[in-house]
Every structure is written in C-alpha cells, then in structure tokens.
Amino acid sequence: MKSAAGAADCGGIAISSSNPHKRTRRGHKGVLQLHHLPLDTLSDIVSLLSFKEAARMSVLSSQWRHLWRSCIRDLVFTRETMCCPMPMSREEQDREAFIRNVECVLCQLDPTIARDKFVLEFKLINTNVQTHVDRWVAFCATSRVKHIVFDFKPGSWGKHDNSFNFPIHLFINGAPAVRSLCLMSAYLNPVPGFSSFTNLRKLMLDSVSGDIQCMLLPACSMLEWLSIVRCTLHSLTTSQPLRQLRYLCVHYCFNVQKLEVQAPNLNTFIFGSLETHPVSFIIDGCLEIQEVTIKLPTWRSDLFDYAFANHGMANVPKLSVELAIDSKVPGCAKCPSKFVNLKHLILTVDVLANDKYTSGILRLACLLELSPVLNRLELHVMCVLGTGEVLNRIEELPPAREPHYHLKTLQMTGVYGYNNLFILPLHYARTAMALEHMVIDPEAKKSYVLTRDAVEEDAVHWGRRMANEHLRGRGLDGILTIL
C-alpha cells in the first residue's frame, strides 16, 4: 500500500491487488485509488461526513471539489463551523463574517436537493438581518429540510423584545417534510390558510412570541415532543387529542391564562409558571403519565392548595413540586382528590415564615393522606431563619385517620429554625407502618448557592441540635439518620 503522503498527493488512497507488502509506483496498472470509485459510491461516502469534514475533503481533489454540494445532507452553521473570529474581536465584525460565510455556502448549493438538517446558531438578535433570515428559511422550505434549528441568540436567558419575524408562510408547500423544528428568539405572524406541519414530531419554542397557536393546529397530529419555554403564551388548547404526544413542557411563559391539552398517551409533563395568579391547567385523561414536574412562584403567595388540586394528575407515579407556603395559614390542604398511584413525591417548599405564627407548616402532614401508596417522600424546606422560637417541648399532631402502609423512605432537608418542622417527621413516623429509613438533614438544598455564610453555618448546627433534641429517644433510633 502507498504511503499516506503519496495517497494525499494523488487525491485518494492507493490499494494494490498484489502483495500488500510490495510498494507500487503511482499509476501502476494494479493500483486502485479512491477517486477511481464510482461516483455513486463516493457520493454515499460524502453524505456520511459532517459539514466540516465534507468541506475539507473537497480540497483534496479537483474531481471532488463540487461533489459535496449535492451530497451533504446536514448543514450546520455555527461560530465554529463558519470559522468566525472569537468574541474578543468586535461583535459587528463577527456577525458580518458569519453572514457572509453562510451566504457563500448556500449560494453554491442546489436548493432543489432534499436535506436532512439545517442548524443555524449565532447571536443575531437586535440586528437588521431580516432579509437574510427570510432567505435562509426559504432555502429550508425549498430543500424540504427534515430537522430545522434557528437560534438567534444561543445561550441567552430572558425575554427578547426585538426578535426576528419568522416567515412561516414560506413553509406552505414545504411543511410536510419537516420532522423537527427548534425556534429561538423569533416572532410568529398569523398566516391565514396555513395547514401547519402535518408530519412534525418535535417542536421546541424558546423566547417566541406572536401566534404560537398556529403551530399547533389539528393538523399536527403526529407531534411527539413539545417544549414551549419563555414564550408569550396566553393560552394553549387543542381541539382534538394529540395521541402521539409523549413529552410536554410549558415553562416560564408570559401572560399564561389557560393550559388544556388532550394527550391520552402523555408520559412526561413539566409546567413552570411566572404568574402570581393560579393558572388553569388540566392534563386529564393521560393514562400513560409517568412523571410530572410543577414549578410555581416561590416569592409572593401561598399556592399549596392550588398545586395539589385536581389538575388531572391523579394517576402520576412520580411528582415533583416547587412552591411556597405561608406559615401563618392554618389548617390542612383542601384537596378534592387523592393521588391514587403516586409512589415518589419530591416537594420543595419555600416557607414564607413568621416567628409568631408557624402552624401553616403543619399542613404538610396531610401528604400521606393525599397519596395512599406513596413509597418515597422527599421534603426540601427553605425558609427564613426564625428568631422567636427556642428549644421548647413540642406538641404532636393528632393521629392520622388511617395508617399508611407503603411509605418506606423519608428524606427531609433544610430542617432548622422552627419546632413545627420536627413535628412533621414524628407524625410521618407514627403514621407510616412500613417506614425503614428517615434521613434528617439541617442543610437546605439550594442548587443556586455553592457556599454557606457564617449565619447559615450556625443555623445548620442549630438544626442538628434541634433534631437530636426532638427526635432522639422517640423510638426512631433504628431508622433515623441525622446528617
């Protein structure tokens, strides 16, 4: 076989049909080179390469110079693939170089050839490049691209007021080809007569405003994965069941009033609200639901009763909830129904604390009553450290109306500051007949805080002292662990 350097000089790899250990001269009758392969075979090879690899291969031989134009199926335009300067240079120069390189590539491609993927990720927000955006989207529609990503401000959080108009009307004829669409930082204009993406399987909208409902017309019956994040969304409803939908995420959207989706085969549901008022949401009829995550505002109002109301989640096996409760609100939760299949509950609670009134914390005692087959309970508490309570003897809650026979593991974190936080594990232990493990951790699990200050360090030590004072010697030593 020829040396690697020799192979590169001739534009391919030389393969000898004789003794592989015998060196042959260039052009020898018994030598087969890569560029001797049939054009169809070479095209298949190039189609398996990435966008950058195909571009590099095109410079090895004059015969391959234009081969990539018709063979490449995945077009990925990012800072890396377009070889733009790093952010240390002027932002305007980066943007101009990126646009120029993208246009240079697209003008060499035949738009009538079908493509698999079109990805464009670059910070273009707040710039006047709408004509380029229109041209890129038109290319996707004409090329019948299956998987499309337009991210005009990658890695950025927050609402964008100066988003691009996404010319969805260009897909009136090319929409059936689209299988997945990820759109970030854009505005959707209503399009009369638009029949939607009839074969769309995956849709992700991030920081998108305008007529989002037009993306979810009844024609989107094949949708399997839907994520709507940080969008302006007044309501989301479906006129007929989305029977293929397995994943639904509506997270931190603005001005949401109502969410009602018919998805009988939904597996995962994530809902996060920024609104101070309760948002009406129902996912009723989801017999295949496996996991639900609810994130509610934790800085203004008590939403405990609302979170555990009847939203159609009675059959969910795993539930994660983030909310706030007011420590002054007495009484148990007013929940009309039980979670009949709930086995794992993760509850993160911000206690809106008041030193004089802390009975509202005891509403958490009803969690076992609400979930009769619960196997694992994780209760993560975050509250302002109180100053009015001391290590006094605490009163126990009245016995539960019925014992609980399934809870085996109880984990509580952030347990310090208030005596009523220690009534809860005592109540759970007295009610749960099958409890095997109880872990009490005074440290609050705050994912957004890496270190603790001196005040919080003292609070953790105080919480450990309170845990030993209130929980040791109460018949729990065989199952109790205090961290």
Side-chain angles (χ1 to χ4, degrees):
M1 183 176 290
K2 297 183 67 177
S3 66
D9 290 340
C10 65
I13 301 175
I15 305 174
S16 174
S17 59
S18 59
N19 188 344
H21 300 288
K22 182 178 180 181
R23 302 179 66 86
T24 58
R25 293 177 300 172
R26 183 174 180 176
H28 191 273
K29 184 177 181 180
V31 175
L32 176 64
Q33 298 179 349
L34 185 59
H35 68 268
H36 291 153
L37 295 174
L39 185 60
D40 292 343
T41 303
L42 280 174
S43 299
D44 291 339
I45 294 175
V46 175
S47 66
L48 298 175
L49 300 178
S50 68
F51 182 57
K52 180 177 287 189
E53 291 169 341
R56 288 174 174 175
M57 183 175 178
S58 66
V59 303
L60 296 179
S61 170
S62 59
Q63 298 181 20
W64 302 346
R65 186 165 301 164
H66 305 294
L67 186 62
W68 69 278
R69 298 182 180 179
S70 59
C71 298
I72 193 68
R73 292 291 182 265
D74 296 343
L75 302 175
V76 180
F77 301 109
T78 63
R79 178 180 295 276
E80 179 184 7
T81 60
M82 290 293 96
C83 303
C84 293
M86 293 306 293
M88 65 181 64
S89 62
R90 290 180 56 189
E91 185 174 311
E92 184 177 352
Q93 292 177 340
D94 288 357
R95 183 171 59 250
E96 292 176 353
F98 177 82
I99 294 174
R100 182 171 58 251
N101 292 341
V102 172
E103 294 285 3
C104 180
V105 171
L106 293 182
C107 72
Q108 301 180 63
L109 300 178
D110 185 352
T112 63
I113 297 177
R115 312 284 174 175
D116 289 335
K117 182 186 296 184
F118 186 102
V119 177
L120 189 141
E121 295 178 354
F122 200 83
K123 184 178 180 181
L124 298 174
I125 203 73
N126 299 328
T127 59
N128 186 22
V129 293
Q130 183 67 54
T131 55
H132 298 286
V133 173
D134 294 345
R135 191 154 47 244
W136 300 335
V137 174
F139 178 90
C140 291
T142 306
S143 299
R144 303 181 300 281
V145 179
K146 295 180 181 178
H147 308 285
I148 301 174
V149 177
F150 277 97
D151 186 356
F152 299 116
K153 196 171 184 181
S156 174
W157 272 82
K159 185 177 179 181
H160 306 311
D161 296 325
N162 299 318
S163 301
F164 289 105
N165 287 322
F166 189 77
I168 193 174
H169 64 276
L170 297 176
F171 283 98
I172 288 181
N173 295 323
V178 182
R179 298 296 185 272
S180 69
L181 173 63
C182 297
L183 184 59
M184 283 143 275
S185 304
Y187 181 85
L188 297 175
N189 285 310
V191 182
F194 181 64
S195 60
S196 188
F197 297 90
T198 54
N199 292 311
L200 191 66
R201 266 71 169 178
K202 178 178 180 179
L203 175 62
M204 177 180 177
L205 303 177
D206 189 339
S207 302
V208 175
S209 57
D211 188 17
I212 294 179
Q213 189 70 34
C214 74
M215 307 286 287
L216 303 170
L217 293 175
C220 287
S221 59
M222 303 301 293
L223 200 62
E224 300 174 357
W225 196 96
L226 173 60
S227 176
I228 305 177
V229 180
R230 296 177 292 170
C231 296
T232 302
L233 179 69
H234 298 288
S235 66
L236 178 64
T237 59
T238 55
S239 58
Q240 68 179 28
L242 298 176
R243 300 190 181 278
Q244 304 299 321
L245 191 64
R246 300 293 188 272
Y247 177 93
L248 173 61
C249 175
V250 180
H251 202 209
Y252 296 150
C253 291
F254 304 93
N255 303 324
V256 181
Q257 301 294 329
K258 183 179 180 181
L259 174 64
E260 188 171 350
V261 176
Q262 303 177 64
N265 296 308
L266 190 67
N267 184 275
T268 302
F269 174 61
I270 301 173
F271 176 71
S273 175
L274 291 173
E275 307 298 335
T276 55
H277 63 272
V279 177
S280 173
F281 71 93
I282 298 179
I283 56 169
D284 200 10
C286 303
L287 300 179
E288 302 296 326
I289 193 72
Q290 295 296 317
E291 184 172 355
V292 172
T293 300
I294 307 295
K295 298 183 179 181
L296 303 175
T298 59
W299 59 89
R300 291 186 180 178
S301 58
D302 185 302
L303 295 174
F304 185 75
D305 290 350
Y306 161 75
F308 289 95
N310 186 9
H311 300 292
M313 304 184 299
N315 292 314
V316 62
K318 183 177 180 180
L319 175 63
S320 300
V321 182
E322 295 183 13
L323 51 75
I325 62 172
D326 191 334
S327 65
K328 296 185 295 182
V329 178
C332 193
K334 302 174 183 178
C335 303
S337 62
K338 294 184 178 181
F339 294 82
V340 294
N341 289 327
L342 185 60
K343 296 179 174 61
H344 188 183
L345 173 61
I346 304 173
L347 182 59
T348 302
V349 178
D350 270 28
V351 178
L352 306 177
N354 185 295
D355 290 341
K356 296 181 179 180
Y357 306 99
T358 61
S359 59
I361 297 174
L362 300 180
R363 285 180 292 161
L364 301 174
C366 68
L367 295 177
L368 298 189
E369 182 180 348
L370 295 176
S371 45
V373 298
L374 190 66
N375 181 271
R376 180 181 179 89
L377 172 60
E378 297 182 35
L379 181 56
H380 306 292
V381 181
M382 286 174 275
C383 62
V384 178
L385 183 62
T387 59
E389 292 193 332
V390 295
L391 294 177
N392 297 323
R393 185 178 65 86
I394 60 178
E395 301 294 334
E396 296 181 348
L397 283 168
R401 287 179 292 181
E402 296 180 0
H404 195 284
Y405 295 102
H406 294 86
L407 185 67
K408 293 184 177 181
T409 302
L410 169 66
Q411 179 184 359
M412 293 182 61
T413 66
V415 184
Y416 66 81
Y418 295 101
N419 290 336
N420 280 334
L421 287 176
F422 297 94
I423 298 180
L424 291 175
L426 290 174
H427 176 78
Y428 294 145
R430 185 174 55 182
T431 306
M433 301 293 100
L435 191 61
E436 298 176 353
H437 306 284
M438 177 189 291
V439 179
I440 305 298
D441 187 355
E443 181 179 349
K445 300 301 180 184
K446 299 179 181 180
S447 59
Y448 50 87
V449 176
L450 299 180
T451 59
R452 300 196 304 262
D453 57 21
V455 174
E456 195 165 2
E457 287 284 356
D458 291 340
V460 170
H461 291 302
W462 184 21
R464 190 170 294 115
R465 178 188 169 193
M466 294 180 71
N468 283 285
E469 174 78 14
H470 292 315
L471 301 180
R472 294 294 186 190
R474 307 293 292 261
L476 305 177
D477 293 348
I479 62 174
L480 176 64
T481 300
I482 299 176
L483 299 180

